[in-house]
Protein backbone atom coordinates (compact mmCIF):
# COMPACT_ATOMS: atom_id res chain seq x y z
CA UNK A 1 0.00 0.00 0.00
CA UNK A 2 0.92 3.66 -0.30
CA UNK A 3 2.43 4.18 3.15
CA UNK A 4 1.84 7.92 2.95
CA UNK A 5 -1.96 7.66 2.79
CA UNK A 6 -2.99 4.03 3.50
CA UNK A 7 -5.10 3.75 6.63
CA UNK A 8 -5.43 7.51 6.91
CA UNK A 9 -8.21 9.95 6.09
CA UNK A 10 -7.59 11.72 2.78
CA UNK A 11 -8.73 15.28 2.21
CA UNK A 12 -9.54 16.05 -1.42
CA UNK A 13 -11.86 17.97 -3.72
CA UNK A 14 -15.28 16.69 -4.68
CA UNK A 15 -18.34 18.05 -6.48
CA UNK A 16 -21.08 17.91 -3.84
CA UNK A 17 -24.80 18.12 -4.59
CA UNK A 18 -26.32 19.78 -1.53
CA UNK A 19 -29.86 20.01 -2.89
CA UNK A 20 -31.87 18.65 -5.79
CA UNK A 21 -31.39 20.67 -8.95
CA UNK A 22 -28.98 23.14 -7.36
CA UNK A 23 -25.47 23.63 -8.85
CA UNK A 24 -22.82 21.24 -7.59
CA UNK A 25 -20.29 22.84 -5.24
CA UNK A 26 -16.59 21.99 -5.24
CA UNK A 27 -15.85 21.20 -1.61
CA UNK A 28 -12.98 19.78 0.41
CA UNK A 29 -14.18 16.42 1.69
CA UNK A 30 -12.67 13.85 4.00
CA UNK A 31 -12.51 10.31 2.60
CA UNK A 32 -12.14 7.59 5.22
CA UNK A 33 -9.91 4.53 4.68
CA UNK A 34 -11.48 1.43 3.14
CA UNK A 35 -12.88 -1.18 5.50
CA UNK A 36 -13.08 -4.94 4.92
CA UNK A 37 -13.77 -5.82 1.27
CA UNK A 38 -13.54 -2.18 0.26
CA UNK A 39 -11.14 -0.32 -2.02
CA UNK A 40 -10.19 3.34 -2.05
CA UNK A 41 -9.64 4.70 -5.54
CA UNK A 42 -7.94 7.77 -6.92
CA UNK A 43 -10.27 8.94 -9.68
CA UNK A 44 -8.37 10.36 -12.64
CA UNK A 45 -11.17 10.71 -15.20
CA UNK A 46 -14.94 10.73 -14.88
CA UNK A 47 -17.75 11.18 -17.36
CA UNK A 48 -21.22 12.65 -16.96
CA UNK A 49 -24.08 10.24 -17.58
CA UNK A 50 -27.74 11.20 -17.96
CA UNK A 51 -28.47 9.05 -14.91
CA UNK A 52 -26.39 11.41 -12.76
CA UNK A 53 -28.52 14.31 -14.00
CA UNK A 54 -31.75 12.38 -13.44
CA UNK A 55 -30.98 11.68 -9.80
CA UNK A 56 -29.54 15.15 -9.26
CA UNK A 57 -32.90 16.51 -10.40
CA UNK A 58 -34.56 14.03 -7.98
CA UNK A 59 -37.26 13.05 -10.44
CA UNK A 60 -39.16 9.85 -9.80
CA UNK A 61 -37.26 8.64 -6.73
CA UNK A 62 -36.57 9.38 -3.09
CA UNK A 63 -34.23 12.40 -2.83
CA UNK A 64 -31.04 11.82 -0.85
CA UNK A 65 -28.78 14.79 -0.22
CA UNK A 66 -26.05 15.95 0.27
CA UNK A 67 -24.53 13.50 -2.17
CA UNK A 68 -21.58 12.92 -4.46
CA UNK A 69 -22.73 11.70 -7.86
CA UNK A 70 -20.77 10.04 -10.66
CA UNK A 71 -20.48 6.41 -11.77
CA UNK A 72 -18.65 6.40 -15.11
CA UNK A 73 -14.94 6.74 -14.42
CA UNK A 74 -11.40 5.41 -14.48
CA UNK A 75 -8.79 5.50 -11.76
CA UNK A 76 -6.05 3.81 -9.77
CA UNK A 77 -6.24 1.81 -6.55
CA UNK A 78 -4.83 3.86 -3.66
CA UNK A 79 -5.34 1.32 -0.87
CA UNK A 80 -7.37 -1.78 -0.07
CA UNK A 81 -9.22 -3.01 2.99
CA UNK A 82 -8.97 -6.31 4.82
CA UNK A 83 -9.86 -9.33 2.74
CA UNK A 84 -9.12 -7.76 -0.65
CA UNK A 85 -6.77 -10.14 -2.48
CA UNK A 86 -7.30 -9.52 -6.20
CA UNK A 87 -6.41 -5.82 -6.20
CA UNK A 88 -3.40 -3.88 -5.03
CA UNK A 89 -2.34 -0.22 -4.95
CA UNK A 90 -1.41 1.03 -8.40
CA UNK A 91 -3.84 -1.21 -10.30
CA UNK A 92 -5.79 0.57 -13.04
CA UNK A 93 -9.50 0.05 -12.55
CA UNK A 94 -13.02 1.02 -13.53
CA UNK A 95 -15.69 1.38 -10.82
CA UNK A 96 -18.99 -0.30 -11.78
CA UNK A 97 -22.39 0.38 -10.23
CA UNK A 98 -23.72 -3.17 -10.67
CA UNK A 99 -21.16 -5.21 -8.80
CA UNK A 100 -20.59 -8.94 -8.40
CA UNK A 101 -19.99 -10.79 -5.14
CA UNK A 102 -19.13 -13.85 -7.31
CA UNK A 103 -20.86 -16.16 -4.84
CA UNK A 104 -24.64 -15.73 -5.13
CA UNK A 105 -26.90 -17.52 -7.63
CA UNK A 106 -27.12 -14.45 -9.85
CA UNK A 107 -23.35 -14.08 -10.06
CA UNK A 108 -22.98 -17.75 -10.95
CA UNK A 109 -25.67 -17.53 -13.62
CA UNK A 110 -24.88 -16.76 -17.25
CA UNK A 111 -28.25 -15.03 -17.63
CA UNK A 112 -28.19 -12.49 -14.80
CA UNK A 113 -25.95 -9.85 -13.28
CA UNK A 114 -28.31 -8.75 -10.51
CA UNK A 115 -26.06 -9.74 -7.61
CA UNK A 116 -27.95 -10.42 -4.38
CA UNK A 117 -25.43 -8.33 -2.44
CA UNK A 118 -24.41 -5.58 -4.86
CA UNK A 119 -27.37 -5.13 -7.18
CA UNK A 120 -28.06 -1.53 -8.10
CA UNK A 121 -29.74 0.41 -5.29
CA UNK A 122 -30.22 4.08 -6.06
CA UNK A 123 -31.65 4.87 -2.62
CA UNK A 124 -28.68 3.55 -0.66
CA UNK A 125 -26.20 6.26 0.19
CA UNK A 126 -23.95 4.34 2.58
CA UNK A 127 -21.53 1.42 2.54
CA UNK A 128 -22.76 -2.11 3.19
CA UNK A 129 -20.22 -2.92 5.92
CA UNK A 130 -21.51 -0.59 8.60
CA UNK A 131 -24.28 1.49 7.05
CA UNK A 132 -22.11 4.60 7.12
CA UNK A 133 -20.65 6.93 4.51
CA UNK A 134 -16.93 7.18 3.84
CA UNK A 135 -17.35 10.87 2.88
CA UNK A 136 -17.74 13.75 5.31
CA UNK A 137 -17.34 17.50 5.63
CA UNK A 138 -16.63 18.82 9.13
CA UNK A 139 -18.15 15.67 10.56
CA UNK A 140 -21.29 15.81 8.42
CA UNK A 141 -21.80 12.66 6.32
CA UNK A 142 -22.00 13.11 2.56
CA UNK A 143 -23.90 10.28 0.89
CA UNK A 144 -22.63 7.91 -1.79
CA UNK A 145 -24.33 7.32 -5.15
CA UNK A 146 -24.83 3.79 -6.58
CA UNK A 147 -21.74 2.62 -4.73
CA UNK A 148 -19.29 4.63 -6.83
CA UNK A 149 -19.42 8.46 -6.33
CA UNK A 150 -16.78 9.32 -8.90
CA UNK A 151 -17.23 13.11 -8.80
CA UNK A 152 -14.53 13.06 -6.14
CA UNK A 153 -10.74 12.88 -6.40
CA UNK A 154 -10.90 9.84 -4.10
CA UNK A 155 -13.76 7.45 -3.47
CA UNK A 156 -14.38 4.20 -1.58
CA UNK A 157 -16.20 1.30 -3.23
CA UNK A 158 -16.94 -2.34 -2.50
CA UNK A 159 -14.31 -4.62 -4.06
CA UNK A 160 -17.05 -6.30 -6.09
CA UNK A 161 -17.73 -2.98 -7.80
CA UNK A 162 -14.20 -2.65 -9.21
CA UNK A 163 -13.01 -4.03 -12.55
CA UNK A 164 -9.25 -4.30 -13.05
CA UNK A 165 -8.11 -3.29 -16.53
CA UNK A 166 -4.96 -3.32 -18.62
CA UNK A 167 -2.72 -0.46 -17.41
CA UNK A 168 -1.92 0.48 -21.01
CA UNK A 169 -5.57 1.34 -21.72
CA UNK A 170 -6.05 5.14 -21.76
CA UNK A 171 -8.21 5.95 -18.74
CA UNK A 172 -9.57 9.11 -20.35
CA UNK A 173 -11.11 6.94 -23.07
CA UNK A 174 -12.06 3.70 -21.34
CA UNK A 175 -13.79 5.46 -18.42
CA UNK A 176 -17.02 5.34 -20.48
CA UNK A 177 -16.87 1.54 -20.34
CA UNK A 178 -18.11 1.82 -16.75
CA UNK A 179 -21.64 2.55 -17.95
CA UNK A 180 -22.50 3.86 -21.42
CA UNK A 181 -20.54 1.47 -23.58
CA UNK A 182 -21.19 -1.64 -21.49
CA UNK A 183 -24.90 -0.79 -21.32
CA UNK A 184 -25.34 -0.61 -25.10
CA UNK A 185 -22.88 -3.35 -26.02
CA UNK A 186 -24.22 -5.63 -23.31
CA UNK A 187 -27.85 -5.07 -24.30
CA UNK A 188 -27.01 -6.28 -27.80
CA UNK A 189 -24.63 -9.16 -27.13
CA UNK A 190 -26.10 -10.49 -23.88
CA UNK A 191 -29.83 -9.75 -24.19
CA UNK A 192 -30.87 -9.29 -27.84
CA UNK A 193 -28.23 -11.73 -29.10
CA UNK A 194 -28.77 -11.05 -32.82
CA UNK A 195 -27.78 -13.88 -35.12
CA UNK A 196 -25.26 -13.52 -37.92
CA UNK A 197 -26.91 -12.03 -40.99
CA UNK A 198 -29.88 -10.65 -39.06
CA UNK A 199 -31.30 -7.12 -39.25
CA UNK A 200 -31.36 -4.82 -36.24
CA UNK A 201 -33.05 -1.48 -35.59
CA UNK A 202 -31.62 0.85 -32.93
CA UNK A 203 -33.74 3.73 -31.66
CA UNK A 204 -31.47 6.49 -30.42
CA UNK A 205 -27.89 7.07 -31.55
CA UNK A 206 -26.29 8.61 -28.50
CA UNK A 207 -23.34 6.95 -26.77
CA UNK A 208 -25.42 3.97 -25.63
CA UNK A 209 -27.01 3.55 -29.04
CA UNK A 210 -23.66 3.63 -30.80
CA UNK A 211 -22.39 0.97 -28.40
CA UNK A 212 -25.47 -1.12 -29.20
CA UNK A 213 -24.69 -0.73 -32.90
CA UNK A 214 -21.13 -1.88 -32.29
CA UNK A 215 -22.52 -4.94 -30.55
CA UNK A 216 -24.74 -5.70 -33.52
CA UNK A 217 -21.76 -5.32 -35.84
CA UNK A 218 -19.67 -7.68 -33.74
CA UNK A 219 -22.53 -10.19 -33.75
CA UNK A 220 -22.52 -10.16 -37.56
CA UNK A 221 -25.81 -8.36 -38.25
CA UNK A 222 -26.10 -7.61 -41.97
CA UNK A 223 -28.38 -4.57 -41.61
CA UNK A 224 -28.19 -2.13 -38.74
CA UNK A 225 -30.83 0.59 -39.02
CA UNK A 226 -30.31 3.64 -36.84
CA UNK A 227 -33.33 5.73 -35.87
CA UNK A 228 -32.81 9.23 -34.53
CA UNK A 229 -34.34 12.71 -34.79
CA UNK A 230 -30.90 14.21 -35.42
CA UNK A 231 -29.72 13.43 -38.96
CA UNK A 232 -26.24 14.74 -38.17
CA UNK A 233 -25.61 11.63 -36.09
CA UNK A 234 -25.59 9.28 -39.06
CA UNK A 235 -22.04 10.09 -40.18
CA UNK A 236 -20.66 9.11 -36.76
CA UNK A 237 -22.99 6.11 -36.52
CA UNK A 238 -21.49 4.62 -39.68
CA UNK A 239 -18.22 4.17 -37.80
CA UNK A 240 -20.06 1.86 -35.39
CA UNK A 241 -21.68 -0.32 -38.02
CA UNK A 242 -24.94 1.47 -38.76
CA UNK A 243 -25.79 0.79 -42.40
CA UNK A 244 -28.98 2.83 -42.82
CA UNK A 245 -30.51 5.83 -41.13
CA UNK A 246 -34.13 6.81 -40.53
CA UNK A 247 -35.27 10.18 -39.22
CA UNK A 248 -38.97 9.91 -38.23
CA UNK A 249 -39.42 13.61 -39.02
CA UNK A 250 -38.84 12.84 -42.69
CA UNK A 251 -42.00 10.71 -42.93
CA UNK A 252 -45.72 11.23 -42.48
CA UNK A 253 -46.33 7.74 -41.12
CA UNK A 254 -45.19 5.80 -38.04
CA UNK A 255 -41.51 4.90 -38.13
CA UNK A 256 -42.42 1.27 -37.48
CA UNK A 257 -44.16 1.19 -40.87
CA UNK A 258 -41.15 2.80 -42.53
CA UNK A 259 -38.84 0.14 -41.15
CA UNK A 260 -41.25 -2.66 -42.06
CA UNK A 261 -41.29 -1.46 -45.66
CA UNK A 262 -37.50 -1.20 -45.73
CA UNK A 263 -37.09 -4.76 -44.50
CA UNK A 264 -40.00 -6.59 -46.13
CA UNK A 265 -41.89 -7.06 -42.89
CA UNK A 266 -39.67 -6.01 -40.03
CA UNK A 267 -36.31 -6.43 -38.38
CA UNK A 268 -35.14 -9.36 -36.27
CA UNK A 269 -34.23 -7.28 -33.21
CA UNK A 270 -35.18 -3.81 -31.92
CA UNK A 271 -33.08 -1.96 -29.38
CA UNK A 272 -34.46 1.22 -27.82
CA UNK A 273 -31.76 3.32 -26.20
CA UNK A 274 -33.31 6.77 -26.14
CA UNK A 275 -32.00 9.49 -23.82
CA UNK A 276 -33.55 8.27 -20.58
CA UNK A 277 -32.19 7.09 -17.26
CA UNK A 278 -30.44 3.77 -17.79
CA UNK A 279 -30.71 2.50 -14.20
Amino acid sequence: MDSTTAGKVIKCKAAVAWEAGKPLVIEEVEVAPPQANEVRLKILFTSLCHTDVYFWEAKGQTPLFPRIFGHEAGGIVESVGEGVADLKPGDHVLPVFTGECKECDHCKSEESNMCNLLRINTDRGVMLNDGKSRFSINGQPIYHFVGTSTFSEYTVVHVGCVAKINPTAPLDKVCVLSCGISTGLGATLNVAKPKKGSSVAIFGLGAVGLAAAEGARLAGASRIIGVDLNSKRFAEAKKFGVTEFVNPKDYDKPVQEVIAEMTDGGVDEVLSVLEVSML
Side-chain angles (χ1 to χ4, degrees):
M1 295 186 183
D2 184 341
S3 59
T4 61
T5 56
K8 303 175 183 177
V9 171
I10 290 179
K11 292 184 177 181
C12 69
K13 299 295 184 182
V16 178
W18 290 100
E19 298 180 58
K22 297 295 179 66
L24 306 186
V25 180
I26 302 299
E27 304 274 15
E28 183 178 77
V29 300
E30 293 187 339
V31 186
Q35 295 192 11
N37 295 316
E38 295 177 356
V39 181
R40 188 160 60 184
L41 308 178
K42 181 178 183 179
I43 299 298
L44 298 181
F45 298 94
T46 187
S47 303
L48 174 65
C49 175
H50 188 273
T51 299
D52 296 308
V53 178
Y54 180 82
F55 283 88
W56 166 69
E57 293 174 333
K59 293 181 178 179
Q61 20 72 28
T62 304
L64 185 62
F65 295 92
R67 202 170 202 182
I68 297 175
F69 288 104
H71 63 279
E72 196 173 65
I76 297 175
V77 174
E78 175 271 335
S79 61
V80 301
E82 180 183 352
V84 176
D86 296 335
L87 294 169
K88 64 183 185 304
D91 283 344
H92 287 218
V93 296
L94 304 178
V96 291
F97 57 81
T98 300
E100 296 182 4
C101 71
K102 299 181 181 179
E103 297 178 357
C104 70
D105 290 341
H106 284 283
C107 286
K108 293 178 180 178
S109 168
E110 294 182 358
E111 301 300 326
S112 171
N113 68 338
M114 298 304 292
C115 173
N116 286 339
L117 178 66
L118 299 171
R119 72 175 59 201
I120 184 70
N121 183 337
T122 56
D123 292 333
R124 185 175 65 232
V126 294
M127 299 300 289
L128 292 171
N129 260 345
D130 56 4
K132 296 180 180 180
S133 174
R134 301 291 176 262
F135 299 109
S136 64
I137 296 179
N138 298 324
Q140 177 184 0
I142 307 297
Y143 293 112
H144 295 250
F145 176 62
V146 295
T148 51
S149 292
T150 62
F151 291 173
S152 175
E153 292 178 319
Y154 287 86
T155 188
V156 176
V157 302
H158 190 282
V159 65
C161 293
V162 181
K164 183 178 177 179
I165 64 171
N166 190 319
T168 63
L171 287 170
D172 61 330
K173 304 291 193 306
V174 299
C175 61
V176 295
L177 292 174
S178 288
C179 177
I181 304 303
S182 57
T183 298
L185 195 74
T188 305
L189 296 178
N190 298 327
V191 181
K193 299 179 181 178
K195 294 180 173 57
K196 187 174 182 178
S198 62
S199 55
V200 177
I202 297 172
F203 284 71
L205 295 175
V208 178
L210 294 178
E214 177 69 6
R217 185 191 68 79
L218 291 173
S222 60
R223 297 182 71 178
I224 304 174
I225 302 170
V227 182
D228 202 290
L229 297 175
N230 185 354
S231 297
K232 294 180 180 179
R233 288 183 168 180
F234 186 40
E236 189 68 20
K238 283 184 176 180
K239 301 176 184 177
F240 293 83
V242 174
T243 58
E244 298 156 82
F245 182 81
V246 174
N247 187 333
K249 294 190 295 184
D250 295 338
Y251 300 88
D252 56 3
K253 52 186 165 184
V255 68
Q256 294 93 328
E257 293 183 16
V258 175
I259 293 175
E261 291 175 1
M262 291 172 60
T263 55
D264 294 327
V267 294
D268 299 299
E269 300 290 346
V270 175
L271 289 162
S272 179
V273 284
L274 301 178
E275 296 295 334
V276 295
S277 173
M278 302 310 298
L279 298 183

